[in-house]
Amino acid sequence: MSSAGYVLYDQSRNRLEVIRPGESMKRYIPCTNIRPPHDKVHGVQIDGDNIWVFVGPSTNARPNRKFLYRFSSLSGGSSRSI
């Protein structure tokens, strides 16, 4: 297991599947601000406690905004333009 944690976006359930750093139990963070199939998740990046989810319209080849979630609180969803 990685000391950085683990994150995977589950489009069918519109949530992040996470394993916190140093733990082995899966937890979930709902992504209520991402709207499949209108939005496309282009990637997920871990930066310490921060989990960045890069999103754009399903018709775009590149993301145009990112959402911030956190391992520590298992919450988030604040948006920023890229």
Side-chain angles (χ1 to χ4, degrees):
M1 176 175 47
S2 170
S3 61
Y6 165 87
V7 179
L8 177 69
Y9 176 67
D10 180 351
Q11 181 178 354
S12 65
R13 292 190 170 104
N14 195 30
R15 66 183 184 183
L16 295 176
E17 178 181 295
V18 302
I19 298 177
R20 289 178 174 174
E23 293 185 2
S24 59
M25 186 171 79
K26 286 183 188 176
R27 299 172 190 263
Y28 303 96
I29 303 173
C31 298
T32 56
N33 46 357
I34 298 173
R35 305 166 308 138
H38 304 289
D39 294 327
K40 178 180 178 183
V41 172
H42 292 270
V44 177
Q45 179 181 1
I46 298 171
D47 180 19
D49 185 46
N50 297 331
I51 302 166
W52 292 102
V53 180
F54 297 88
V55 179
S58 60
T59 56
N60 281 13
R62 297 186 328 156
N64 62 0
R65 63 190 188 282
K66 58 185 178 179
F67 293 101
L68 173 63
Y69 298 89
R70 291 203 162 85
F71 279 112
S72 59
S73 61
L74 294 175
S75 64
S78 59
S79 176
R80 298 197 175 121
S81 294
I82 295 180

